[in-house]
Amino acid sequence: MISFELDVEDLADTRFALSPLHEAVFSLRVLQDPGLSALHLPWRRSVLGRLGGLDTGLLMSLVARRRTLPDFLTPAAGGFAPTFEEELSVARRASAAEVRHDLTLAHAPDALPEALRDALAEEDATVLGLRDAICELLRRYWMVAIEPLWPRMRLVLEADMTYRARQLALGGARSLFADMHPDLRWEGGVLHVDRMISHHRVAPSGRGLLLLPSVFAHKPAPPVSPDVPPRLVYPSRGVATLWDTPPAPDPNALTTLLGAPRARLLVLLEEPLPTVELARRLRVTPSAVSQQLRVLHATGLVARARDGRQVLYRRSALGDQLVAGGS
């Protein structure tokens, strides 16, 4: 069991954050053990074929046999939604002593994998070289395995946080932690994380508790070391919907949304055109076109710019997305 003793100040500073680096590191567990989560098998199958250029031996050595992870690769998020590069820059600043300690502690009581053991036995410069190699490998892995899907993952994680915030508002801390996971218990101002390999109590002492919903976490995951600032990664709600195949676009959706005249107009505005030319192509009066253009411009779907005596209209980036989605 690992326990967090949360006083009034800690509860007041309990907060949520998103962490792309946590997701990348936690996803390595699923790559290593496909039986860990059947929900992620579609993702795993799609990713395995794209890892040919990566050192998968070093990558998989980051996950211990008991599935613990080195703390220096899961730093506390800086702000609500740091970028992957911002978080990775924190990991790149870990000292040689931290890298040795965290990798050894994550794998204890087992021996270190060969990919790590020899480097950690060398002088600090070699350990820092290993740190940099791991961080660069994770950067390349992120680009292949997680970054293309991160917008979808983020929507799921933000929906979870919205739900948790409502639970906190309606029922306080007890309600917040009540249905996060069966291994979590809130009793007498202490948050207990059951079925952990290690056993220690953490007194945040005014540092609060950072809560990180995760797509890839299968159970609550506090830091391995009790000396790390208090944080808890927990399984996000809604993960079962993440890999659903989206429905095929409805070719009539754009017309249903905007109406036939504006939909036809928006499709034509792939290139800059004046009102008169648009009217000619649509076989309507310029005044009728102007009326529709005013609405499309006011909603941000169309941009306009003066060219001599005439005004040219073209779809905005938002308009491009709408047409692409509707077609």
Side-chain angles (χ1 to χ4, degrees):
M1 180 192 300
I2 293 178
S3 303
F4 294 99
E5 301 173 357
L6 302 175
D7 61 19
V8 174
E9 289 299 318
D10 294 315
L11 286 175
D13 199 25
T14 294
R15 60 211 182 277
F16 290 87
L18 298 171
S19 175
L21 180 55
H22 274 76
E23 289 302 330
V25 175
F26 273 73
S27 72
L28 297 177
R29 291 171 162 179
V30 178
L31 281 183
Q32 187 187 73
D33 182 4
L36 196 61
S37 176
L39 291 175
H40 294 310
L41 289 179
W43 169 83
R44 186 178 185 274
R45 284 193 295 267
S46 70
V47 167
L48 284 176
R50 302 199 298 269
L51 300 181
L54 302 184
D55 184 350
T56 53
L58 179 56
L59 201 60
M60 291 297 99
S61 74
L62 301 177
V63 184
R65 184 180 61 83
R66 56 179 186 165
R67 301 194 185 97
T68 46
L69 299 162
D71 287 336
F72 83 94
L73 291 178
T74 53
F80 170 70
T83 66
F84 179 83
E85 290 295 341
E86 288 171 342
E87 290 192 293
L88 194 64
S89 69
V90 177
R92 289 184 191 275
R93 296 196 294 270
S95 67
E98 288 175 309
V99 174
R100 277 197 183 94
H101 174 270
D102 291 353
L103 286 171
T104 303
L105 185 61
H107 284 277
D110 300 316
L112 285 163
E114 184 179 351
L116 303 175
R117 183 175 59 247
D118 294 342
L120 293 183
E122 298 293 331
E123 58 187 14
D124 286 358
T126 303
V127 176
L128 295 179
L130 173 65
R131 175 203 64 189
D132 293 343
I134 290 172
C135 288
E136 175 59 22
L137 181 59
L138 282 174
R139 185 189 67 81
R140 294 174 60 196
Y141 172 73
W142 157 263
M143 294 173 64
V144 171
I146 307 296
E147 186 178 29
L149 301 164
W150 178 242
R152 291 174 61 183
M153 294 181 185
R154 178 166 176 160
L155 287 175
V156 170
L157 299 175
E158 289 181 340
D160 176 272
M161 288 188 288
T162 300
Y163 170 81
R164 301 294 172 197
R166 179 174 173 80
Q167 293 294 97
L168 179 63
L170 294 177
R174 190 180 305 279
S175 181
L176 170 64
F177 297 117
D179 64 345
M180 273 190 177
H181 194 272
D183 289 351
L184 287 178
R185 292 183 292 112
W186 172 258
E187 294 178 353
V190 180
L191 179 64
H192 301 284
V193 189
D194 294 330
R195 296 200 300 174
M196 302 299 298
I197 295 174
S198 56
H199 179 86
H200 57 259
R201 293 174 75 91
V202 178
S205 303
R207 293 175 294 174
L209 176 66
L210 181 63
L211 298 171
L212 298 155
S214 171
V215 164
F216 289 104
H218 65 288
K219 65 176 184 178
V224 179
S225 171
D227 302 322
V228 173
R231 64 177 182 269
L232 180 68
V233 178
Y234 67 90
S236 173
R237 292 163 52 91
V239 175
T241 66
L242 189 57
W243 311 124
D244 287 348
T245 303
D250 181 355
N252 299 315
L254 190 63
T255 299
T256 303
L257 178 65
L258 299 178
R262 290 172 192 158
R264 288 197 299 269
L265 192 55
L266 197 61
V267 170
L268 281 178
L269 287 173
E270 184 177 8
E271 57 179 316
L273 292 171
T275 303
V276 173
E277 176 60 18
L278 289 166
R280 185 189 68 79
R281 295 190 186 188
L282 293 172
R283 298 181 181 179
V284 297
T285 64
S287 61
V289 171
S290 295
Q291 181 180 0
Q292 305 297 348
L293 285 173
R294 280 196 297 271
V295 175
L296 293 174
H297 181 264
T299 54
L301 297 176
V302 163
R304 65 188 179 192
R306 182 167 291 280
D307 181 25
R309 295 184 176 181
Q310 62 183 2
V311 176
L312 299 179
Y313 293 86
R314 191 194 183 284
R315 282 199 311 258
S316 65
L318 179 60
D320 287 340
Q321 293 176 8
L322 191 60
V323 170
S327 59

